Amino acid sequence: MPRLVLLKEGQATPYELSEYPVRLGRHPDCTVQLDSNMVSRFHAQLVQSDDQIMLEDLGSGNGSFLNGKQLLASTPSPLKNGDRIKLGPVKLRYENEAEDDSRQLNMTIGVELNEEASSTIMGSAAAGGYGLLDVRPEDKLKGILKINKALAGTVEIKNISPRILDTLFEIFPQADRGSILIRESASAPLIPVAQKHRDISNDETVRLSRTVLQRVLQEKAGILSADAAADSRFSASESISSLTIHSMMCVPMLDLNDEPFGVINLDTQNPMKRFTDDDLQLLLAVASQAANSYENARLLVTYMAKEKQDKEMGIARGVQHALLPQELPKIDGYEFFASYDAAQAVGGDYFDCFLIGEDKVCVSFGDVAGKGVPGALIMSRMASVVQNTMSFTDDVSVAIHRINDHMCHSMVEGRFVTYILGVIDLNTNVITLTNAGHMSPVIKKRDGSVEEFSDEIIGIPVGIMSGYPYEVVQRQIDPGDVFTLITDGVDEAMDPDGDLYGKSRVIEFIKNGPRDPEQLGKELLADVRAHANGRPQNDDITIMVFGRTGS
């Protein structure tokens, strides 16, 4: 897509061109607003005619210039890739990479990588550390100190590269132009991030030889080309000879693993001030320190982002825990216990237990498919839906259908909730229960035997199919009966060898475990932890135990 690049103080701001006309000027209604008193309110505009982009002066006070030539008012002139535009003191560049498929350009800040360009290597030096210690050690120390001072306190990565170039222009007074290119990964292309001209009126594109860049990256070596324009071996190199570069240096920037993540390029067009091998060693030393500063800033930014994320996850964890019941009902003749342990800061397990009126208790228990933030978001929605639904009805059959239909609405594909909903009538001691794809509650009877609900009553998880006919069953809760509900983080807990805790071990533990619901729940959790033997849990672990006391 064509674009305009605003050039200002060594920085470049691109404006994508998608709709025409594109007005340029000082007025806020302009597509590209230019902050200068020497620019007219509506100074110029870009128009499109037969797939050709044209620049037109709108009768501006200080005129519009295209490649140094002033345009006549109201007379559009065609633009081509790389054209320079000047509106008063403001400089812009028109870019349209589609006009030239033979070159790969990245001219965001005026740097072009030329595919056909080649270079004669006049000298090279291996990167790493600070180069040869016996070559201009005092200059190296001064350069390193200057870079340290220039970058001190800089934490924004985008500000580092321009400061590096500013400092390099102090260290190398013969340098006319400089550029820095960075890549995000070893397989990613080099992207120009900063470019500087000593002559601020010069906004020409810097053309770099792709051959030189590849050698710098592959060999991790600094490259020196001396008196390039006069060397006959550069006759076929447009990227060098067309710009009459008499001397240039290109060195890699190495990360903490000594792998190149970018390059620094300096050139001079003054044949009397060309770079030397000693200059190359000095640039390598300075580039090494600059790369360290860049890496430190990147690590700091990563650390700060991680700190921010951890803080936000801590807040999310607090919000999620606030959605869970802070205390369970205290009812004569019944005891309730629940524990919740997320595998990450937040999780997708869910439980709730609350009174409905004065004589009924709602037991709600579920496991969202997935953990972490996605699971937590669905869990919070589930908690809200259950609370709202049960405030209008205590009929389990009606409630499960409303909950399912609500969760099916706008549910993310692949996400669902295995869920158990039960209502205990305290007058009759009967629990009405439905199971939406979850493991059956394990019931320990007073005589020590263990039973489960029939698998035939298990329906599909909540959030998969609206209108699904869930089956509802009832069961008498006798004195001494204890119900245990778990999520799959319990039976799928693994030890260091990868062996699962297993559903059969859950049942065996419940069968031989204590009768007190709280004690049973805590000891079951402790046994799961003992089985894991230090291996981090890979899923959320939630346990709910409730039962009827008395003889």
Side-chain angles (χ1 to χ4, degrees):
M1 178 181 294
R3 62 182 174 182
L4 278 179
V5 178
L6 174 63
L7 306 171
K8 184 178 180 182
E9 298 177 353
Q11 300 295 317
T13 304
Y15 294 90
E16 302 293 340
L17 307 177
S18 57
E19 297 183 1
Y20 299 90
V22 177
R23 290 191 172 184
L24 301 92
R26 200 174 69 251
H27 197 277
D29 289 341
C30 288
T31 311
V32 180
Q33 189 176 3
L34 306 175
D35 185 18
S36 173
N37 292 330
M38 298 181 67
V39 173
S40 300
R41 294 169 69 247
F42 294 98
H43 196 109
Q45 67 178 3
L46 299 183
V47 296
Q48 188 174 31
S49 176
D50 297 331
D51 295 329
Q52 174 67 59
I53 310 302
M54 319 277 284
L55 174 65
E56 179 183 3
D57 182 80
L58 298 177
S60 62
N62 291 312
S64 301
F65 294 81
L66 178 61
N67 296 323
K69 183 179 179 180
Q70 185 171 1
L71 302 180
L72 297 176
S74 302
T75 304
S77 295
L79 293 174
K80 63 180 182 299
N81 186 36
D83 277 350
R84 290 173 292 166
I85 301 171
K86 186 176 180 182
L87 309 179
V90 178
K91 298 177 181 179
L92 305 103
R93 184 173 57 251
Y94 172 74
E95 298 178 357
N96 188 354
E97 299 180 7
E99 293 180 359
D100 189 354
D101 294 332
S102 65
R103 297 182 301 174
Q104 293 183 355
L105 306 179
N106 191 323
M107 299 177 60
T108 303
I109 57 169
V111 177
E112 174 183 330
L113 305 184
N114 193 297
E115 189 70 47
E116 297 180 356
S118 60
S119 300
T120 297
I121 307 303
M122 311 302 293
S124 65
Y130 297 104
L132 299 177
L133 297 178
D134 59 345
V135 177
R136 299 171 63 177
E138 293 183 0
D139 289 340
K140 287 184 178 180
L141 179 58
K142 289 180 181 178
I144 292 169
L145 292 176
K146 280 189 177 182
I147 283 290
N148 281 338
K149 182 178 180 180
L151 300 181
T154 305
V155 296
E156 294 190 17
I157 294 177
K158 66 179 182 179
N159 295 332
I160 293 179
S161 295
R163 291 191 181 185
I164 291 174
L165 288 180
D166 290 341
T167 306
L168 289 176
F169 271 48
E170 295 179 16
I171 298 172
F172 298 97
Q174 70 270 48
D176 291 321
R177 299 180 306 187
S179 56
I180 296 179
L181 296 84
I182 301 293
R183 62 184 182 185
E184 293 299 322
S185 65
S187 59
L190 285 168
I191 303 297
V193 295
Q195 182 242 355
K196 182 179 177 66
H197 290 82
R198 190 174 294 277
D199 180 5
I200 60 175
S201 64
N202 184 353
D203 63 351
E204 284 191 13
T205 297
V206 175
R207 293 177 173 86
L208 301 181
S209 166
R210 194 176 296 275
T211 302
V212 168
L213 292 179
Q214 289 175 349
R215 177 164 175 178
V216 168
L217 296 176
Q218 291 173 1
E219 300 182 6
K220 305 177 188 178
I223 300 299
L224 169 66
S225 172
D227 202 14
D231 194 323
S232 61
R233 289 170 290 185
F234 281 86
S235 59
S237 175
E238 177 188 352
S239 65
I240 301 294
S241 60
S242 65
L243 295 178
T244 62
I245 296 177
H246 290 272
S247 188
M248 63 180 294
M249 295 187 295
C250 188
V251 300
M253 300 175 70
L254 305 180
D255 60 22
L256 300 179
N257 296 318
D258 285 332
E259 293 299 327
F261 66 88
V263 298
I264 298 176
N265 180 83
L266 293 179
D267 68 53
T268 176
Q269 294 175 279
N270 189 334
M272 305 303 294
K273 296 181 179 179
R274 60 190 185 184
F275 297 120
T276 66
D277 289 331
D278 286 356
D279 290 326
L280 181 61
Q281 288 289 340
L282 176 57
L283 181 57
L284 282 170
V286 175
S288 179
Q289 185 61 33
N292 288 340
S293 298
Y294 194 99
E295 283 290 274
N296 289 340
R298 188 153 56 182
L299 290 174
L300 179 59
V301 169
T302 302
Y303 172 78
M304 293 172 64
K306 181 65 166 57
E307 285 284 291
K308 180 181 179 182
Q309 182 184 43
D310 289 346
K311 184 177 180 180
E312 292 175 348
M313 291 302 293
I315 295 173
R317 183 176 186 174
V319 171
Q320 183 176 41
H321 277 273
L323 295 174
L324 300 174
Q326 302 305 303
E327 60 179 26
L328 301 180
K330 293 180 174 32
I331 300 169
D332 290 340
Y334 282 87
E335 290 184 5
F336 297 87
F337 168 81
S339 67
Y340 173 84
D341 293 274
Q344 302 175 16
V346 292
D349 281 4
Y350 156 75
F351 76 90
D352 205 351
C353 185
F354 52 90
L355 279 166
I356 304 176
E358 297 181 354
D359 55 4
K360 290 185 178 180
V361 176
C362 176
V363 175
S364 183
F365 193 84
D367 184 358
V368 177
K371 47 186 177 290
V373 174
L377 291 174
I378 297 176
M379 172 271 194
S380 63
R381 184 181 177 194
M382 186 73 181
S384 176
V385 169
V386 171
Q387 284 281 346
N388 289 334
T389 301
M390 301 310 294
S391 65
F392 289 100
T393 181
D394 58 9
D395 188 318
V396 172
S397 179
V398 173
I400 186 61
H401 285 90
R402 289 183 179 178
I403 292 170
N404 179 55
D405 289 348
H406 192 99
M407 293 300 293
C408 283
H409 180 67
S410 301
M411 176 63 86
V412 178
E413 184 178 354
R415 300 288 179 179
F416 53 84
V417 185
T418 62
Y419 179 63
I420 290 176
L421 176 65
V423 172
I424 303 173
D425 189 325
L426 301 177
N427 294 322
T428 62
N429 296 311
V430 171
I431 182 170
T432 304
L433 182 141
T434 186
N435 189 332
H438 199 81
M439 289 179 288
S440 173
V442 179
I443 307 167
K444 180 178 181 178
K445 303 175 69 174
R446 182 173 181 82
D447 60 8
S449 61
V450 171
E451 68 177 35
E452 298 179 70
F453 287 95
S454 170
D455 290 342
E456 295 178 358
I457 73 165
I458 299 178
I460 65 174
V462 165
I464 293 180
M465 185 174 70
S466 181
Y468 181 83
Y470 289 98
E471 186 173 349
V472 175
V473 296
Q474 291 185 323
R475 185 192 186 283
Q476 185 76 29
I477 304 178
D478 295 324
D481 285 351
V482 177
F483 289 65
T484 301
L485 291 77
I486 62 170
T487 58
D488 54 13
V490 175
D491 63 312
E492 294 180 1
M494 290 187 289
D495 64 12
D497 295 328
D499 295 328
L500 298 177
Y501 188 81
K503 181 68 179 291
S504 60
R505 182 166 175 174
V506 172
I507 295 175
E508 190 66 22
F509 186 91
I510 292 173
K511 182 178 180 180
N512 299 318
R515 293 186 176 279
D516 180 75
E518 180 175 356
Q519 188 178 358
L520 176 60
K522 289 182 176 180
E523 290 189 13
L524 174 58
L525 178 60
D527 195 56
V528 172
R529 298 290 190 205
H531 171 78
N533 194 23
R535 176 168 180 161
Q537 66 184 80
N538 61 343
D539 202 353
D540 307 324
I541 296 176
T542 304
I543 300 172
M544 176 182 282
V545 186
F546 63 91
R548 186 178 172 191
T549 60
S551 58

